[in-house]
Short mmCIF file of all heavy atoms in Angstrom, two decimals:
data_model
loop_
_atom_site.label_atom_id
_atom_site.label_comp_id
_atom_site.label_asym_id
_atom_site.label_seq_id
_atom_site.Cartn_x
_atom_site.Cartn_y
_atom_site.Cartn_z
N ASP Z 28 108.92 108.10 105.71
CA ASP Z 28 108.04 107.49 106.70
C ASP Z 28 106.64 107.48 106.08
O ASP Z 28 106.36 108.21 105.15
CB ASP Z 28 108.08 108.21 108.05
CG ASP Z 28 107.51 109.62 108.01
OD1 ASP Z 28 106.49 109.85 107.32
OD2 ASP Z 28 108.06 110.50 108.68
N LEU Z 29 105.81 106.61 106.58
CA LEU Z 29 104.48 106.43 105.99
C LEU Z 29 103.39 107.22 106.72
O LEU Z 29 102.23 106.86 106.69
CB LEU Z 29 104.13 104.94 105.94
CG LEU Z 29 105.09 104.09 105.11
CD1 LEU Z 29 104.62 102.65 105.06
CD2 LEU Z 29 105.25 104.64 103.71
N GLU Z 30 103.80 108.31 107.34
CA GLU Z 30 102.85 109.14 108.07
C GLU Z 30 101.75 109.67 107.15
O GLU Z 30 100.57 109.69 107.52
CB GLU Z 30 103.59 110.31 108.73
CG GLU Z 30 102.71 111.16 109.60
CD GLU Z 30 103.50 112.24 110.32
OE1 GLU Z 30 104.74 112.23 110.29
OE2 GLU Z 30 102.85 113.11 110.92
N PHE Z 31 102.09 110.12 105.95
CA PHE Z 31 101.10 110.63 105.00
C PHE Z 31 100.06 109.56 104.67
O PHE Z 31 98.85 109.82 104.69
CB PHE Z 31 101.79 111.12 103.73
CG PHE Z 31 100.83 111.55 102.65
CD1 PHE Z 31 100.19 112.77 102.73
CD2 PHE Z 31 100.57 110.74 101.55
CE1 PHE Z 31 99.29 113.18 101.75
CE2 PHE Z 31 99.69 111.13 100.56
CZ PHE Z 31 99.05 112.35 100.66
N GLU Z 32 100.53 108.33 104.37
CA GLU Z 32 99.61 107.25 104.02
C GLU Z 32 98.71 106.88 105.21
O GLU Z 32 97.53 106.59 105.02
CB GLU Z 32 100.39 106.01 103.56
CG GLU Z 32 100.98 106.13 102.17
CD GLU Z 32 102.21 107.03 102.12
OE1 GLU Z 32 102.77 107.40 103.17
OE2 GLU Z 32 102.63 107.37 101.00
N LEU Z 33 99.28 106.92 106.40
CA LEU Z 33 98.50 106.56 107.58
C LEU Z 33 97.54 107.66 108.02
O LEU Z 33 96.37 107.40 108.30
CB LEU Z 33 99.44 106.21 108.74
CG LEU Z 33 100.25 104.93 108.55
CD1 LEU Z 33 101.33 104.84 109.62
CD2 LEU Z 33 99.35 103.72 108.58
N ASP Z 34 98.02 108.91 108.07
CA ASP Z 34 97.22 110.00 108.61
C ASP Z 34 96.33 110.68 107.56
O ASP Z 34 95.14 110.89 107.79
CB ASP Z 34 98.10 111.06 109.27
CG ASP Z 34 98.82 110.52 110.49
OD1 ASP Z 34 98.39 109.47 111.02
OD2 ASP Z 34 99.81 111.13 110.91
N ASP Z 35 96.91 111.03 106.41
CA ASP Z 35 96.14 111.77 105.41
C ASP Z 35 95.30 110.85 104.51
O ASP Z 35 94.13 111.12 104.28
CB ASP Z 35 97.07 112.62 104.54
CG ASP Z 35 97.73 113.73 105.34
OD1 ASP Z 35 97.39 113.92 106.52
OD2 ASP Z 35 98.60 114.43 104.77
N LEU Z 36 95.92 109.79 103.99
CA LEU Z 36 95.18 108.87 103.12
C LEU Z 36 94.33 107.88 103.90
O LEU Z 36 93.40 107.32 103.34
CB LEU Z 36 96.14 108.12 102.20
CG LEU Z 36 96.94 108.95 101.21
CD1 LEU Z 36 97.85 108.05 100.38
CD2 LEU Z 36 96.02 109.76 100.31
N GLN Z 37 94.70 107.66 105.15
CA GLN Z 37 93.99 106.74 106.03
C GLN Z 37 93.81 105.36 105.41
O GLN Z 37 92.72 104.79 105.42
CB GLN Z 37 92.65 107.33 106.45
CG GLN Z 37 92.80 108.62 107.23
CD GLN Z 37 91.48 109.21 107.66
OE1 GLN Z 37 90.41 108.76 107.29
NE2 GLN Z 37 91.56 110.26 108.46
N VAL Z 38 94.92 104.81 104.89
CA VAL Z 38 94.86 103.49 104.26
C VAL Z 38 95.19 102.36 105.23
O VAL Z 38 95.13 101.19 104.87
CB VAL Z 38 95.74 103.41 103.00
CG1 VAL Z 38 95.19 104.30 101.91
CG2 VAL Z 38 97.18 103.74 103.31
N GLY Z 39 95.55 102.69 106.47
CA GLY Z 39 95.73 101.69 107.51
C GLY Z 39 96.74 100.61 107.16
O GLY Z 39 97.88 100.90 106.82
N ASN Z 40 96.29 99.36 107.22
CA ASN Z 40 97.17 98.22 106.99
C ASN Z 40 97.74 98.18 105.57
O ASN Z 40 98.72 97.49 105.33
CB ASN Z 40 96.44 96.91 107.26
CG ASN Z 40 96.14 96.72 108.72
OD1 ASN Z 40 96.71 97.39 109.57
ND2 ASN Z 40 95.23 95.81 109.02
N GLN Z 41 97.15 98.90 104.66
CA GLN Z 41 97.64 98.92 103.28
C GLN Z 41 98.61 100.07 103.03
O GLN Z 41 98.91 100.39 101.88
CB GLN Z 41 96.48 99.00 102.28
CG GLN Z 41 95.77 97.68 102.06
CD GLN Z 41 94.77 97.39 103.14
OE1 GLN Z 41 94.10 98.29 103.64
NE2 GLN Z 41 94.64 96.14 103.52
N ALA Z 42 99.12 100.71 104.07
CA ALA Z 42 100.01 101.87 103.90
C ALA Z 42 101.24 101.50 103.09
O ALA Z 42 101.62 102.22 102.17
CB ALA Z 42 100.41 102.45 105.25
N MET Z 43 101.89 100.40 103.42
CA MET Z 43 103.09 99.99 102.70
C MET Z 43 102.77 99.67 101.25
O MET Z 43 103.48 100.09 100.34
CB MET Z 43 103.73 98.78 103.40
CG MET Z 43 104.90 98.21 102.67
SD MET Z 43 106.25 99.39 102.55
CE MET Z 43 107.40 98.44 101.64
N GLU Z 44 101.70 98.93 101.03
CA GLU Z 44 101.30 98.58 99.67
C GLU Z 44 100.97 99.83 98.87
O GLU Z 44 101.40 99.97 97.72
CB GLU Z 44 100.10 97.64 99.70
CG GLU Z 44 99.67 97.20 98.32
CD GLU Z 44 98.57 96.15 98.36
OE1 GLU Z 44 98.34 95.54 99.41
OE2 GLU Z 44 97.96 95.94 97.31
N GLN Z 45 100.23 100.76 99.45
CA GLN Z 45 99.87 102.00 98.75
C GLN Z 45 101.12 102.79 98.39
O GLN Z 45 101.26 103.29 97.28
CB GLN Z 45 98.93 102.85 99.60
CG GLN Z 45 98.41 104.07 98.90
CD GLN Z 45 97.56 103.71 97.70
OE1 GLN Z 45 96.63 102.92 97.82
NE2 GLN Z 45 97.85 104.28 96.56
N PHE Z 46 102.04 102.91 99.34
CA PHE Z 46 103.28 103.65 99.06
C PHE Z 46 104.05 102.96 97.94
O PHE Z 46 104.53 103.61 97.02
CB PHE Z 46 104.16 103.77 100.31
CG PHE Z 46 105.41 104.54 100.02
CD1 PHE Z 46 105.42 105.91 100.14
CD2 PHE Z 46 106.56 103.90 99.59
CE1 PHE Z 46 106.56 106.65 99.84
CE2 PHE Z 46 107.71 104.62 99.28
CZ PHE Z 46 107.71 105.99 99.41
N ALA Z 47 104.19 101.64 98.02
CA ALA Z 47 104.97 100.91 97.01
C ALA Z 47 104.36 101.07 95.62
O ALA Z 47 105.09 101.29 94.64
CB ALA Z 47 105.05 99.43 97.38
N LEU Z 48 103.05 100.99 95.53
CA LEU Z 48 102.38 101.16 94.22
C LEU Z 48 102.55 102.59 93.71
O LEU Z 48 102.81 102.80 92.51
CB LEU Z 48 100.91 100.79 94.33
CG LEU Z 48 100.62 99.31 94.57
CD1 LEU Z 48 99.15 99.10 94.90
CD2 LEU Z 48 101.06 98.47 93.39
N ASP Z 49 102.40 103.58 94.59
CA ASP Z 49 102.59 104.97 94.17
C ASP Z 49 104.04 105.21 93.75
O ASP Z 49 104.29 105.90 92.76
CB ASP Z 49 102.22 105.93 95.30
CG ASP Z 49 100.73 106.01 95.55
OD1 ASP Z 49 99.95 105.56 94.69
OD2 ASP Z 49 100.34 106.51 96.62
N HIS Z 50 104.98 104.64 94.49
CA HIS Z 50 106.40 104.80 94.16
C HIS Z 50 106.68 104.22 92.77
O HIS Z 50 107.35 104.84 91.95
CB HIS Z 50 107.26 104.11 95.22
CG HIS Z 50 108.72 104.39 95.09
ND1 HIS Z 50 109.26 105.61 95.46
CD2 HIS Z 50 109.74 103.64 94.64
CE1 HIS Z 50 110.57 105.59 95.24
NE2 HIS Z 50 110.89 104.38 94.74
N ARG Z 52 104.53 103.79 90.34
CA ARG Z 52 103.83 104.61 89.36
C ARG Z 52 104.63 105.87 89.00
O ARG Z 52 104.68 106.29 87.86
CB ARG Z 52 102.45 105.00 89.90
CG ARG Z 52 101.53 105.62 88.89
CD ARG Z 52 100.13 105.86 89.45
NE ARG Z 52 99.54 104.65 89.97
CZ ARG Z 52 99.21 104.44 91.26
NH1 ARG Z 52 99.40 105.38 92.16
NH2 ARG Z 52 98.68 103.31 91.65
N HIS Z 53 105.31 106.46 90.00
CA HIS Z 53 106.02 107.71 89.79
C HIS Z 53 107.48 107.53 89.37
O HIS Z 53 108.05 108.43 88.73
CB HIS Z 53 105.95 108.58 91.04
CG HIS Z 53 104.58 109.07 91.33
ND1 HIS Z 53 103.96 110.05 90.58
CD2 HIS Z 53 103.67 108.69 92.25
CE1 HIS Z 53 102.74 110.25 91.04
NE2 HIS Z 53 102.54 109.44 92.06
#
Side-chain angles (χ1 to χ4, degrees):
D28 67 39
L29 300 183
E30 184 176 351
F31 175 77
E32 286 75 12
L33 292 169
D34 295 342
D35 294 354
L36 296 180
Q37 298 180 353
V38 293
N40 291 344
Q41 282 82 37
M43 175 63 182
E44 182 174 344
Q45 186 64 51
F46 181 88
L48 292 170
D49 288 344
H50 189 75
R52 191 174 304 116
H53 292 288

